[in-house]
């Protein structure tokens, strides 16, 4: 099937990976001491606290700052709580309780070995369990990339717990007509796709784990606002089916050579964690996408009436191939605004921290007075 048909090339790119990347794709003191010993580059300002909480049968690491209305910050792939390092102190200073977990399979949070344990249902149970562990009844939820997919699902299925939602990059999506891997194969046959590549156990793990620094710097560069405009389309739409994940990508070197928003010290935090854990848990989440489609058939049919905000970079692959936001406007009656950030790539809250902080604080103050 030609992906320029009535289903739409842009729509295919949005859903062929529910993340921007795949758009074609115990004690608090003890844990905090361990993080400090790791030499983490952390922003100055409001203190960021670390602890491990028990939720839904796993141990979840959370970073938090401030007091007040709770705001959950959900990262994407391949990221960590650390992607919210600029937002945690800013939200705390504005009077909110900002909480950024390492999601299931990432960082210091439990990484089950069975891919079936990474379903959207399990991720949602992690979050409601986290609120219970924090003795919090309701929270605002903010997601980026895969975290956005979880945030939209939380708003739809648990509106009594998640009373507002902000998505960075990934818009609300109506229910797909078929499981995602089938959709990808029908719409872009013979071409590489991140979701399909991540399905076979061991293949992606071997490539990505071989050199965590290389994997991270090539991924972060390719999806950033600094990459050539044609790099992501060539990677995610035109690479041959037998391509590796990294094969089409240039190696830009350390961030100090190309990034105005990511320092070498900040980048090293990601490298240390993924060298320790590998990318295994992060990849397993992709293997539940088809199961999620059958397990939660109401997703994408439920309207989001809670206050909502959508923010994206105009160069984010989650948006640039899917600039028609009509489905989101129809499915989210609570939508308060759409903000498109010029020259910004996929890593929204890192590439434009000051603007994202301003937007979040204004939205949260307006809807959680």
């Amino acid at each position: 099937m030609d992906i320029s048909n009535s289903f739409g090339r842009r729509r295919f790119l949005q859903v062929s990976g529910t993340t921007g990347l795949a758009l074609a794709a115990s004690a608090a003191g003890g844990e905090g001491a361990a993080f400090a010993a790791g030499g983490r580059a952390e922003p100055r300002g409001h203190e960021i606290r670390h602890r491990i909480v028990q939720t839904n049968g796993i141990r979840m690491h959370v970073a938090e700052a401030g007091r007040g209305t709770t705001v959950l910050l959900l990262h994407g792939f391949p990221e960590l709580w650390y992607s919210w390092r600029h937002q945690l102190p800013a939200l705390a200073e504005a009077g909110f309780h900002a909480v950024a977990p390492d999601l299931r399979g990432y960082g210091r949070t439990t990484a089950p070995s069975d891919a079936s344990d990474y379903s959207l249902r399990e991720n949602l149970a992690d979050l409601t369990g986290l609120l219970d562990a924090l003795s919090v009844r309701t929270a605002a939820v903010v997601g980026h990339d895969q975290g956005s997919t979880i945030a939209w699902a939380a708003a739809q299925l648990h509106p009594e717990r998640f009373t507002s939602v902000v998505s960075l990059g990934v818009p609300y999506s109506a229910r797909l007509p078929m499981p995602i891997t089938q959709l990808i194969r029908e719409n872009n046959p013979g071409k590489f796709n991140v979701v399909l590549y991540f399905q076979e156990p061991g293949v992606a793990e071997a490539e990505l784990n071989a050199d965590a620094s290389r994997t991270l710097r090539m991924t972060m560069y390719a999806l950033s606002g600094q990459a050539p405009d044609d790099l992501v389309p060539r990677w995610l739409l035109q690479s041959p089916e037998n391509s590796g994940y990294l094969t089409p990508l240039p190696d830009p070197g350390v961030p100090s050579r190309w990034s105005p928003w990511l320092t070498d010290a900040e980048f090293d935090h990601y490298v240390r964690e993924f060298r320790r854990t590998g990318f295994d848990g992060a990849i397993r989440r992709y293997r539940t996408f088809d199961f999620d489609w059958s397990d939660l058939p109401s997703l994408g049919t439920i309207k989001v009436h809670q206050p909502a905000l959508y923010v994206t970079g105009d160069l984010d692959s989650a948006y640039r191939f899917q600039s028609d936001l009509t489905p989101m406007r129809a499915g989210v009656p609570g939508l308060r605004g759409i903000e498109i950030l010029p020259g910004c790539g996929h890593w929204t809250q890192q590439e434009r921290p000051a603007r994202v902080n301003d937007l979040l604080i204004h939205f949260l103050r307006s809807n959680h007075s």
Side-chain angles (χ1 to χ4, degrees), residues 204-242:
E205 290 91 334
E207 183 186 11
L208 274 61
N209 290 343
D211 186 338
S213 179
R214 181 171 181 263
T215 295
L216 288 164
R217 66 180 179 260
M218 291 168 71
T219 301
M220 288 182 167
Y221 170 74
L223 294 168
S224 75
Q226 283 63 55
D229 286 350
D230 66 341
L231 179 56
V232 168
R234 286 191 286 108
W235 177 29
L236 299 180
L237 287 178
Q238 301 167 20
S239 298
E241 190 173 19
N242 62 355

Side-chain angles (χ1 to χ4, degrees), residues 84-107:
W84 302 102
R85 63 194 177 278
H86 303 298
Q87 285 68 50
L88 284 159
L91 291 173
E93 186 67 25
F96 297 97
H97 176 208
V99 179
D102 283 332
L103 295 177
R104 170 180 292 247
Y106 289 85

Side-chain angles (χ1 to χ4, degrees), residues 31 34-41 50 52 61-62 75 78-83 101-103 105-111 208-209 212-213 216 220 265-282:
E31 199 70 17
F35 278 92
R40 178 185 61 248
H50 297 268
I52 296 292
H61 164 248
V62 299
H75 66 79
E79 298 181 79
L80 302 161
W81 75 268
Y82 193 63
S83 292
D102 283 332
L103 295 177
Y106 289 85
R108 306 276 169 162
T109 293
T110 300
L208 274 61
N209 290 343
S213 179
L216 288 164
M220 288 182 167
E266 290 170 331
F267 177 72
D268 285 345
H269 179 81
Y270 291 98
V271 174
R272 286 194 302 272
E273 284 294 271
F274 280 101
R275 277 179 178 163
R276 184 180 62 81
T277 65
F279 294 87
D280 305 47

